[in-house]
Amino acid sequence: MVSTSGRAHIDAPAPATDKDSRWLERLAPLAAVWIGLLLALGPVFATLLRSLMVDGAPDGLAFDNFTRLFADPRARQAALNTLIIGVGVTLASSLLGFMLAWIVSRTDIPGRRSFEILNLVPFFTSPYVGAMAWQYLTAPHSGILPNLARSWFGIDLSFIRINSISGVIWVLVLFYTPFIYLFVIGPMRNLNGALEDAARVHGLSFFQTMRRVTLPLLAPALLSGAIVVFVTSAGLFDVPVILATPYSIPTVPALIYESIGYPSDFGRAAALGAMMMGVIIMLVVAQRQYLGSRRFETVSGKGYSPRVTKLRPAARNAALALELVYIGCGAVLPLISIIMVSLSPLWRGYFEPSKITLANFIYVLDEFELTRGAIVNSAILSIAGASLIVALGFLQAYSLQTRKNRWANALQPLLSLPNGIPGIIFGLGILIILIRTPLYGTYWIILSAYVAHYFPFALRSIGAVLMSLSPELEQSARSSGASWLQTMRLVVIPLARPGLVATWLMVFIILVRELGSTILLYAQGTETISVAMLILSEQNFLYVAALAVVQVALLGGAFILMSRNSKSLFD
Amino acid sequence: MKALRTVLSLVCLGLAATQSHAQTPALSAATGAEKERIAGLVTEATKEGKLTYWDTVMQPATKNALQAAFVAHYGLPKNFQIEFSEIAPSNMITRLEQEAKAGRATVDAAAVASPIWVAAQARAGALMKYDSPEYANYSLVAQAGLIEPGSYAFNGAYVFVPLWDPEKLKVAGDSWNDVIAAAQEGRVSVGNGAASDATIMTYIGLRTAMGKDYVAKLAAKKPVFIPKSETIASRVVSGEDTMAFMGMPTRAYQLNAKGAKLSYLMPKEGVTLLPQNFFILANATHPAAAKLWFDFILSEQGQKIIVEKEAMISGRNHFISPIPEYAPQIDKLKLVRIDWNKMTPDDLQAARREWMDLFKQ
């Protein structure tokens, strides 16, 4: 595993009838890269420029915003807390996501097809709602679990500290593990079991095989997922704002949100955003350097099926227990808590079955006009956004892997830049650029922000998928006379389908839950579900709980419909 | 032919509008030049067809009640739209500032409890100059420096005061000192001074009335910092906190209607009034409708709806509150006098820094 891999550019002469295809082959991927650069660099430059703009400086530009930040102990503490949260969530989610993917794709535990879908349920709940749910579950003086433990078993659960950095990490791990799971399950299914068999035959133990063969082969997917988790968990403001900020635990996203408020300090907000961008550039460069020196093809032209490990009874029980604990903590308990809250006329810290009411649902779905429009808007924006992002990401990843050269290597970190900017800062950048255009106040400005902010997820995720496909497959198709379009349609896209579906699903759900940039860009008539939740949270959190139940039901329903159309979502 | 049809349609629309306005409550109550002015605005507003209004406190049900009464009052068409958004103060201010810089306008009128920012906007010419006849009914709050006639008023005001559940906590006495004595360490909440102007304004009032040492005693109670007034009150109902030091009587009114038992106190040393400043944007795209809305919100009828639905405190002279137990009359409140017009955004930031130091937030 020493040589660099990439999609080989096909120079074989194409048939004369394929002029259009040839033109598309050259133009479409390249155009996608240029569009990506334009989308990424606009808001990024707006943010960078804003971070350097200082009143009274000779050219209007200086580093004062950064020096102020470094001198502020609260900002330093926030940076440290954010780093701890980001690293903690990334490590724990990576481990858990990898284990869950391995359990459902490579072992014989009972009900693994059901677990394949159930593992994704936490993904349907927005972290904002998840944080509120865990606050209701474990709040020291009014939590459902401490109250039950006290009254039923006489047990004191006051040692649980949900309002702490570890509480934030716990909630984020539950809701970000599916990211890793989605990233690795496709490549894991496609892994050539013969490689692992060879390792075992040559005397390596199970764990040695895992460490020396399985993990390195899945490194592109795992690292891509880990970076996505690090950036999104470190950049998310809604979970810390609920669990940490009230208890004087500052984080960078919470400081950014605070800086946007009046009296606004956009320079400070932009400087914080620029620092996060710096961190993400370093991470992406490190990732590329690590991956650039290795081969990772796990899908070749040879037919094989992934090995299923027969677990011993103890290991099977442990795997089953892990699945049940994860689904219990990530889905069942939060869902029970928000359902209880949503059915209550007033929340007193415990559920009162005799007072069950549908009033919160009636208000949210019938009396509050905004909700119905918000559901439709979210569906339109998320479907259109996810489709555009996946198409763009696929073409970009293909283009960068076809043109494996210095420029391609330099472009990838640039194209990853939007990932490093928290949503609210990105939204501000888009607002500054587009406010004078006719796009302002329409769906298009939100869609532009979504595509510009989230296409790097697709680029990275699809890049990892394409990296796992052997270029020989494509070369064989072209040598056999297939045009570029035919090769894409009949070979590359079908082989990449599990990864593309997983990416689309991931982006779709991210967009349904998106709040950071939408909050500054929506106008009357373009509100999304997340905006509606925020507006409802100003009125009564019981309404938010009701809308969250509706959101989970809609996403879950869509997911079940999708999964019914295929034997396995990721096959 | 097409042009002729258009002209005829406009004439018919004008006639219909004139006829429907003839007997409306607004026109029946007005005479002379004022009647002509209202009729002119109504005709223009009918052509405009809609209005966009943002508010940081008002709930949609209140807006619906106001809209129905507004349309009936002026005889506007039934399909007249009021596009409404209830939005957090920081988001509203960011959006309005960005729109003003870009010369864009998607909002006609708005209300936010940020008098220092609103006064700065008025000075910068970002608010429409409009001499509403209703200002005459707000002379007392104008004298107190809470509004600036011709630029902005307030559609209601609120206060942040101690709020608790008497079944879980006993508070004896009527002073801020009695409150601090009853507050339990780690079980009391305050607003999020790092991000909320209303919290900092309340802090300025508390500092003025009780001194900085008093606030230090509050800080020693290790409060939690909660950003939303709804969450602040709900945490008391659930028992997570035993006291909300900066609770909103509006929330007690709304939650008690659902079965909660929240009490609150207006301490004898005085409370800080937080006026929900109400204004029309200078570049409003529906100016006539915005002016009528402004007049209506400040009218006796508009204020009655707002006070009944939101438990806000009216600034209208001699207004009789329909729910005095939650929304007392302004002249019966002991207020801490602060001239917000004389304060600058820098003063607000200095107070915020003080708060952050005191509370180590």
Side-chain angles (χ1 to χ4, degrees), chain A residues 74 128 132 135-136 139-143 163 241 245-248 257-258 260-266 345-349 360 363 367-370 424 428 431-432 434-441 518-524 527 534-543, chain B residues 52-54 56 59-61 63-64 83-88 90-91 93-95 97-99 101-102 104 106 114 116-117 120 168 186-187 192 194-195 197 223-228 230-231 234-235 237-240 251 254-255 258-260 345 348-349 352 356 359-361:
Chain A
R74 193 158 163 261
Y128 173 72
M132 286 304 298
Q135 178 73 28
Y136 279 119
H141 305 291
S142 62
N163 301 113
V241 157
T245 311
Y247 295 83
S248 295
Y257 189 60
E258 188 185 300
I260 300 273
Y262 176 74
S264 53
D265 189 347
F266 292 138
L346 193 70
W347 186 251
R348 296 176 195 271
N360 299 316
Y363 178 79
E367 294 169 14
F368 189 50
E369 297 163 18
L370 195 137
I424 194 146
L428 188 66
L431 185 70
I432 290 166
L434 296 182
I435 195 166
R436 288 179 173 83
T437 70
L439 300 184
Y440 183 66
T518 317
I519 194 67
L520 289 180
L521 302 175
Y522 83 91
Q524 264 81 18
E527 297 92 345
L534 198 74
I535 292 171
L536 285 169
S537 75
E538 302 283 345
Q539 300 173 26
N540 188 337
F541 193 79
L542 307 186
Y543 298 152
Chain B
T52 303
Y53 175 63
W54 284 5
T56 57
Q59 304 209 4
K63 170 257 168 186
N64 290 343
E83 292 182 339
F84 170 76
S85 224
E86 186 194 4
I87 184 170
S90 58
N91 291 332
I93 289 174
T94 302
R95 287 281 291 270
E97 283 184 342
Q98 293 301 317
E99 287 194 2
K101 276 183 196 166
R104 296 294 303 262
T106 58
S114 190
I116 298 173
W117 179 79
K168 293 168 188 159
R187 301 288 300 274
N192 180 14
D197 284 3
V224 288
F225 307 93
I226 307 294
K228 294 179 196 297
E230 192 277 331
T231 315
S234 293
R235 284 173 65 102
V237 175
S238 74
E240 188 58 28
R251 298 304 184 188
Q254 290 160 347
L255 291 170
K258 292 180 178 176
L348 194 71
Q349 277 301 68
R352 195 184 304 277
M356 306 288 280
F359 286 91
K360 299 189 172 37
Q361 195 189 347

Side-chain angles (χ1 to χ4, degrees), chain A residues 262-263, chain B residues 56-57 89 93 111-119 145-147 152-154 156-161 176 190-210 215 245-246 270-277 335-345 347-356 359:
Chain A
Y262 176 74
Chain B
T56 57
V57 170
I93 289 174
V112 58
S114 190
I116 298 173
W117 179 79
V118 175
L146 292 167
I147 66 170
Y152 60 89
F154 67 79
Y158 54 90
V159 289
F160 283 160
V161 292
W176 281 110
V190 294
N192 180 14
S196 157
D197 284 3
T199 300
I200 294 301
M201 287 159 63
T202 304
Y203 163 67
I204 293 170
L206 202 56
R207 188 182 63 183
T208 309
M210 302 297 294
V215 187
F245 194 84
M246 295 183 176
V271 293
T272 310
L273 193 78
L274 304 167
Q276 181 76 351
N277 297 117
L335 298 178
V336 179
R337 292 292 294 265
I338 296 165
D339 192 346
W340 299 115
N341 282 323
K342 288 188 178 154
M343 291 189 79
T344 65
D347 296 330
L348 194 71
Q349 277 301 68
R352 195 184 304 277
R353 279 193 293 275
E354 250 180 45
W355 164 282
M356 306 288 280
F359 286 91

